[in-house]
Amino acid sequence: MFTVEDTIAGADATQIPKQRGESLLETAVRYTEERHWDVFPGTWLEPVDGLERCSCEDAECPAPGAHPARRDWATQATGSATAARRMWQKQPTASILLPTGRTFDALSVPETAGFLALARMERMELTLGPVTLTPDRRMQFFVLPGASAKVPDLVRKLGWSIASLDLVTLGEGGYVAAPPTRFGSRGAVQWACRPTPANRWLPDAEELMSPLAYACGRDR
């Protein structure tokens, strides 16, 4: 079960717990050491004419400073603290990205549906894994790998069509941006439910699907 104290929302969650003032390098290393997550550096923000632009140089970049910088990013991702330190030493302002489909998958829903689902999950006394809140108003619930194969059937059993819900499963070949990665001027990724020793063991997608599908259905 999680409590209100375990959830962080809005401006109160600009950094991951216990790491205020730490560099992106230190944060990336802590992800590998404390959570055993693979990490890889993404793009970064550069000042251009008084504005911050994505290092990919696309003026219309939809996720400035928060997407892979290389096509072969999947081979670059590492769970080694030493390798992570080396990569961020080369580019200290690179975003922190976490590949999905390895140690976790992620269920991505609109922010409004996500907060509704969190409230229902608390009443149901469900044990959650970490949950991120992104500046593009999405919430991503970390679950055990293998969710991609299960979710469509789980949704159908609940009486919904997967095409009718804004519920996206991020598995093998996908990634999430980790706090405190910034999306240009829109702000930083935050923890809606922070990583704690209690949620080191992730839930299966099936455990969260009922409140998530219900919330997404209400949010249509």
Side-chain angles (χ1 to χ4, degrees), residues 68-155:
R70 300 165 37 160
R71 291 185 178 181
D72 64 343
W73 61 264
T75 62
Q76 187 185 26
T78 179
S80 162
T82 300
R85 187 177 300 278
R86 188 182 308 119
M87 288 190 291
W88 267 272
Q89 284 174 339
K90 292 180 180 178
Q91 183 48 253
T93 58
S95 54
I96 302 175
L97 305 180
L98 311 175
T100 51
R102 299 187 182 188
T103 52
F104 65 88
D105 282 1
L107 304 177
S108 177
V109 301
E111 175 186 306
T112 49
F115 279 119
L116 176 60
L118 281 176
R120 289 178 64 86
M121 290 172 186
E122 183 172 11
R123 290 195 297 271
M124 296 167 68
E125 299 188 353
L126 294 179
T127 300
L128 284 183
V131 182
T132 61
L133 174 62
T134 68
D136 57 355
R137 305 182 71 83
R138 304 287 298 183
M139 291 180 75
Q140 293 159 340
F141 292 72
F142 289 23
V143 295
L144 289 172
S148 297
K150 299 178 179 180
V151 166
D153 189 49
L154 291 172
V155 169

Side-chain angles (χ1 to χ4, degrees), residues 120 151-167 209-220:
R120 289 178 64 86
V151 166
D153 189 49
L154 291 172
V155 169
R156 280 193 296 271
K157 287 181 178 179
L158 291 168
W160 298 95
S161 160
I162 191 67
S164 69
L165 301 180
D166 187 359
L167 194 163
M209 193 48 55
S210 176
L212 280 175
Y214 170 83
C216 287
R218 286 280 303 272
D219 194 55
R220 290 187 301 172

Side-chain angles (χ1 to χ4, degrees), residues 16-17 19 27-40 76-81 84 87-88 96-106 129-132 140-145 176-179 191 193-196 199-202:
I16 60 178
Q19 297 187 28
T27 303
V29 168
R30 283 174 67 105
Y31 284 140
T32 64
E33 291 180 335
E34 296 182 6
R35 301 299 292 199
H36 303 293
W37 289 338
D38 284 3
V39 299
F40 67 98
Q76 187 185 26
T78 179
S80 162
M87 288 190 291
W88 267 272
I96 302 175
L97 305 180
L98 311 175
T100 51
R102 299 187 182 188
T103 52
F104 65 88
D105 282 1
V131 182
T132 61
Q140 293 159 340
F141 292 72
F142 289 23
V143 295
L144 289 172
V176 298
W191 290 115
C193 187
R194 65 178 183 244
T196 68
N199 65 21
R200 181 174 298 278
W201 303 106
L202 299 177

